[in-house]
Amino acid sequence: MTPSRGAPNVLVTGTPGTGKTTTCELICQATGLRHINIGDLVKEQELHSGWDEEFDCFVIDEDKVCDSLEATMAAGGNVVDYHGCDFFPERWFDLVIVLQTDNTVLWNRLEKRNYKMNKIQENVECEIMQMIVEEARESYQPGIVQVLPSNTVEDMESNVDRTVAWLAAWRAGQ
């Protein structure tokens, strides 16, 4: 933990379609922390190097994202929402949550988003290979990485409850 911050920072990561944004919104509603959706930030502040036609998304400029967030993250009290995690400084986060979703559930969610077939296949393959879990475990201390299921509304509610409880314990320990 970073004792200089008045409130913790949480990263919620996982393959697209695992429920990151909804989970982050619910955590922030319950705790009053600030939700930072990296995808929205990249669009709003043009923190990218162009558009990837093949995958229908911006190519983010990781250095620009980190520079943009440095002061906000140093202050604490943030819940960051992004499908990757290895470019964020380790010092930023007190808790890293990796959401995982069953492949069939994930496929259906991505289809409902009208993702192109190649994007669906790549994201489901990423989930099968547990690439985000591995990335988180390689990038952060093992004690702060929590891998949680995100298949149902009940899973999401449980994940939010667990995170709220963790945040209460963090605050009590300060």
Side-chain angles (χ1 to χ4, degrees):
M1 291 188 210
T2 306
S4 62
R5 286 199 295 263
N9 289 320
V10 178
L11 172 62
V12 179
T13 188
T15 305
T18 55
K20 295 178 300 298
T21 300
T22 304
T23 300
C24 287
E25 289 169 352
L26 293 170
I27 291 168
C28 290
Q29 285 174 11
T31 63
L33 297 178
R34 178 181 28 252
H35 179 200
I36 300 174
N37 181 311
I38 298 298
D40 291 346
L41 185 76
V42 166
K43 289 178 211 164
E44 292 163 8
Q45 296 185 17
E46 298 185 15
L47 306 175
H48 58 83
S49 59
W51 185 257
D52 183 327
E53 291 291 333
E54 182 182 0
F55 290 101
D56 245 358
C57 63
F58 286 109
V59 178
I60 75 162
D61 183 320
E62 296 172 349
D63 290 334
K64 285 182 181 178
V65 170
C66 289
D67 289 346
S68 172
L69 287 173
E70 186 64 50
T72 301
M73 298 305 292
N78 304 292
V79 179
V80 176
D81 168 356
Y82 194 60
H83 63 264
C85 63
D86 62 346
F87 68 94
F88 295 119
E90 183 179 5
R91 70 182 181 282
W92 279 4
F93 298 107
D94 304 288
L95 176 64
V96 176
I97 298 169
V98 183
L99 298 178
Q100 288 193 301
T101 301
D102 175 77
N103 301 325
T104 304
V105 173
L106 183 61
W107 186 284
N108 292 335
R109 288 179 185 173
L110 298 177
E111 274 186 334
K112 286 179 184 171
R113 291 183 178 186
N114 296 315
Y115 276 23
K116 292 180 179 179
M117 186 57 64
N118 65 321
K119 192 170 181 176
I120 293 172
Q121 290 172 332
E122 180 169 293
N123 283 309
V124 171
E125 183 177 309
C126 178
E127 189 70 359
I128 290 168
M129 303 292 288
Q130 297 192 20
M131 293 175 73
I132 307 300
V133 172
E134 197 60 36
E135 185 178 298
R137 287 183 173 151
E138 290 175 2
S139 300
Y140 302 96
Q141 293 298 314
I144 72 166
V145 176
Q146 299 294 313
V147 181
L148 303 175
S150 186
N151 296 304
T152 65
V153 171
E154 292 78 17
D155 287 343
M156 187 174 296
E157 290 169 352
S158 173
N159 295 340
V160 170
D161 290 345
R162 286 177 69 162
T163 306
V164 169
W166 181 91
L167 289 165
W170 189 93
R171 287 182 174 129
Q174 292 302 299

